[in-house]
Structure formats: C-alpha cells, structure tokens
Amino acid sequence: VYKGLRTDKEKEKVVMETPEKQMADEELIAFGRKKVKVTHFNKVFWPKEGITKGELIKYYQSMADRIVPFLKDKPISMKRQPGGVDDPGFFQKDNTAHLPDWVKTAKVHSESNDKDINYIVGTDAATLIYMVNLGCIEINPWLSSYKKPENPEYVVIDIDPHDVPFSQAVEAALKTKEIFDRMKLDVFIKTSGSKGLHIYCYLGAKYDYDFVKMFAEYVANLVHEELPKTTSIERSPAKRPNKVYIDFLQNRRGQTIACPYSVRPKPGATVSAPLHWHEVNDDLKLSDYTIYNIKDRAEKTDDPWNDLHKTKADLKKGLEWLKKHAEV
DNA sequence: GTGGTAA
DNA sequence: TTACCACAACGCTCA
DNA sequence: TGAGCG
Ligand SMILES: [Mn+2]
Ligand SMILES: [Mn+2]
C-alpha cells in the first residue's frame, strides 16, 4: 500500500485507525503529480455478486485508456450511489465544495434556473477515478464539450425496448443502420449495459442541438414508419406499452448517455459494450458483457469503434441521399 | 461520500 | 473524537 | 403551473 505524501492531518487519522483497516480500506493512487485518495475500498457495491467499490475502481483504472477519449472536455453529470447498486443515489452537476486543484471544471449556464453550474470536465484517468470514488458507478458525459456546449459531437439514437423480446430491439437497431446506410453515413453501436442499444454517428460539433435533434427525430420517424408494429416514438411510456422506443430526445443540451465501457448499476455488473455490427443479431445478450470480461474482450478483439472519429458526418448530404433513395 | 457543526 | 445532518439536476413536453 | 420522462 502506498503511504507516501500524506498530509499531517491524514497522518493523525492513520494513527487512530487500526493498521488493518487503514491498509485495506484506503489508498492513494498516483497519476503523475495527481494523487487520488480512494476510500472505502472494501465496501460492497453489488451485494448479490459480492463486488466491492475497490473492484469497481480497479475496473475503471484498467479501462481508462478506452474511456477517457469519450470524456475529454465533456461536462459530466454525476449520478452518485455511495451505497452501491441498491442506493437510489442522487445527481450532481454543480461542484461548489472543495476539489483537488487538478480537477478541471467549467461553468456552464443553466437556463432553467438561470445560474452557472460548475461541472467537472472529463480530462484523464485521475479525474475519472476521482469521480468513481465519489460513488459514480456509471459515467454520463454530455454529447458536447464545454468549449462548444451547443454543438454535440455525436448524434445518438437510443433504442429502448419496453417489455418486448430483445430481438425486436435488434431489429430496430438494424433498421436504423439501414437508414444511415442509405445516407452513406457511418454509424457505430454499443449495448447500453442496461436494457437497450445506443447508436452513435460522429459529427465533430458541426451542427447545433436543434438541428441534430431534428435530424434524429427524422430518423426515428423513418424507423417507426418501416417497423410500425414493434416500435414507437411516443414520449409517454403509457402510450407505448410493449414497444421498442426509438428515443431521439437524448440529442439535447444537458442530456447524457452512459459512455462506452461505463459500468451500470445492474445485476451482474454489466457494462456498455461497443459492438461490431455483425454481433447485432438474435444471439446478442447484454448480460454477456460485464466488468469481469470486457477488458479481455477489448484486448483480444478489434476495437469495434476504432473508426468512429475518422470522418465527420455530413448530415445535410445524408438527407439528400435519403431523398434520392426515396425517389427511386 | 463528504464537509460542517453540535454534542 | 464522534454523531449526525444537509446536501447534491436539467430540459422539455403535455395535461 | 406541474407532473412526467430519461
Ligand atoms: Mn436507453
Ligand atoms: Mn432512452
């Protein structure tokens, strides 16, 4: 256990605690000059599975290289569950209390109550682990950076099956892919880690939320038109029982989606897993991708999202291709 | 989970 | 020192 | 204006 660089106050604390407890339950993890104090290592976060907070932190440490690119410069909406997966937890966006000086924040104006919110901004592994230590089991970045908060870097189609066979979600995802193919735009898919699927198209902050949301709504409508029996674009859950909800409303300022390789507070410690499109078939099971095996998968298979940032989609050109397709 | 304050 | 408490969202739509 | 949604 690393014991260097403690403040005097911490030293006092160490003396008061039993060596065993101190050794096991608290650690200082160094990322260069940034030292993250990680607490309650042995606290059980998944009671049924017996997974501890320490294991969660180790997971995020091991996957930080894959995750951080999706957090860089993004305001983070923290959902904190310090009591583990059964803790309803709370959201935190504003950070007014003292933070380590190396934790980067950015003030972003909130329209609803006309105040500036001091968001933590994704930066590096140290910042990620700092948030996990606060009780963030899942990581939810904005789609836009604090530098250009009105311009999302992706358009996202969120596939939410509601009490239907998962094969219907697969069908809706493949239909969405088909529509993007007609537009000659590249799209990438991942499991949500919870119930559904997330489809991303890279834009590079070319358009504002208003346009991107309208575009996503248009795509959602096409999916629904072509799969009217199984899908719905109704916002109210009561009006879409037993349907796959094609959710385009995530494409709004301040909305978030669990990032790639984010853990979810669900049974089995599932994670949001980037997939190859050929894996999107009736054999796909979200429960197959967990905190236990995703690292191995990421190391042994080609990164399904390797080319995500290769090209910025031209949505207007895409819509023209769609028009041509419809005329034929 | 943490920081502040009362006991 | 310890115990306890307060506190930590937003944007948007529809009724 | 408030409840509901994610
Ligand atoms: Mn979803
Ligand atoms: Mn959704």
Side-chain angles (χ1 to χ4, degrees):
Chain A
V1 172
Y2 181 76
K3 282 184 177 168
L5 285 168
R6 290 187 175 281
T7 68
D8 289 340
K9 197 180 175 186
E10 280 166 340
K11 256 179 208 156
E12 285 170 28
K13 201 177 167 191
V14 170
V15 173
M16 296 316 297
E17 290 170 356
T18 66
E20 290 79 17
K21 194 187 168 199
Q22 161 59 23
M23 207 165 67
D25 225 28
E26 202 172 299
E27 205 171 304
L28 214 50
I29 304 176
F31 300 86
R33 79 171 180 92
K34 305 176 180 181
K35 313 279 193 300
V36 185
K37 192 179 89 172
V38 165
T39 57
H40 304 285
F41 237 68
N42 293 324
K43 186 161 184 176
V44 175
F45 264 30
W46 278 261
K48 204 167 140 243
E49 294 80 357
I51 301 170
T52 63
K53 186 184 174 195
E55 287 169 285
L56 179 68
I57 284 163
K58 271 187 273 172
Y59 167 79
Y60 274 113
Q61 246 185 297
S62 75
M63 292 299 288
D65 288 349
R66 296 289 188 124
I67 296 172
V68 166
F70 292 96
L71 309 184
K72 201 130 184 70
D73 294 338
K74 307 290 194 308
I76 310 292
S77 290
M78 291 190 287
K79 169 129 198 238
R80 296 177 54 189
Q81 297 167 272
V85 296
D86 295 327
D87 182 348
F90 55 89
F91 292 94
Q92 183 178 0
K93 301 184 172 187
D94 203 7
N95 298 89
T96 50
H98 169 80
L99 296 170
D101 59 6
W102 48 262
V103 173
K104 187 170 170 181
T105 62
K107 289 192 169 63
V108 180
H109 190 72
S110 156
E111 218 132 85
S112 61
N113 46 12
D114 190 33
K115 68 164 188 178
D116 285 339
I117 294 181
N118 195 41
Y119 281 88
I120 290 180
V121 166
T123 305
D124 51 19
T127 306
L128 170 61
I129 298 306
Y130 180 77
M131 294 188 290
V132 177
N133 184 59
L134 291 178
C136 296
I137 296 173
E138 56 181 49
I139 305 295
N140 298 111
W142 278 32
L143 295 175
S144 52
S145 87
Y146 76 95
K147 294 175 182 171
K148 251 183 159 184
E150 280 304 330
N151 291 56
E153 288 181 13
Y154 311 93
V155 55
V156 175
I157 305 293
D158 175 21
I159 311 279
D160 289 337
H162 284 256
D163 305 309
V164 297
F166 188 69
S167 59
Q168 292 186 11
V170 167
E171 184 189 31
L174 293 175
K175 178 59 76 180
T176 306
K177 161 85 167 124
E178 191 188 313
I179 287 161
F180 275 92
D181 283 346
R182 281 178 217 159
M183 296 190 280
K184 302 187 190 292
L185 299 176
D186 292 330
V187 279
F188 297 79
I189 187 164
K190 64 185 180 73
T191 67
S192 73
S194 177
K195 290 187 158 174
L197 297 162
H198 297 155
I199 298 172
Y200 280 52
C201 176
Y202 181 58
L203 306 174
K206 275 208 292 192
Y207 311 96
D208 64 19
Y209 276 111
D210 281 347
F211 180 75
V212 172
K213 187 181 71 181
M214 279 176 55
F215 174 87
E217 180 171 13
Y218 186 63
V219 171
N221 270 286
L222 285 177
V223 173
H224 176 56
E225 270 174 32
E226 299 184 26
L227 296 173
K229 294 249 171 32
T230 57
T231 67
S232 172
I233 48 171
E234 282 287 349
R235 181 194 324 282
S236 162
K239 291 182 181 172
R240 51 173 155 88
N242 308 107
K243 291 279 196 287
V244 179
Y245 177 43
I246 312 299
D247 184 357
F248 59 89
L249 287 170
Q250 297 298 343
N251 300 283
R252 295 187 298 192
R253 179 190 171 100
Q255 299 301 109
T256 60
I257 290 203
C259 71
Y261 300 108
S262 173
V263 182
R264 307 303 300 272
K266 299 287 172 181
T270 46
V271 304
S272 178
L275 301 173
H276 293 285
W277 276 104
H278 66 75
E279 296 173 302
V280 184
N281 56 49
D282 286 347
D283 296 330
L284 175 61
K285 289 212 302 287
L286 300 210
S287 57
D288 283 346
Y289 305 93
T290 69
I291 201 172
Y292 297 113
N293 59 31
I294 200 72
K295 169 79 176 164
D296 200 44
R297 169 185 156 90
E299 278 170 356
K300 288 183 177 159
T301 67
D302 285 344
D303 177 4
W305 283 33
N306 190 56
D307 294 340
L308 173 67
H309 297 117
K310 285 261 161 76
T311 49
K312 298 180 182 181
D314 186 330
L315 298 186
K316 297 191 174 165
K317 199 169 277 176
L319 291 170
E320 281 169 29
W321 281 113
L322 208 52
K323 209 171 142 194
K324 268 179 210 160
H325 178 275
E327 282 165 3
V328 176

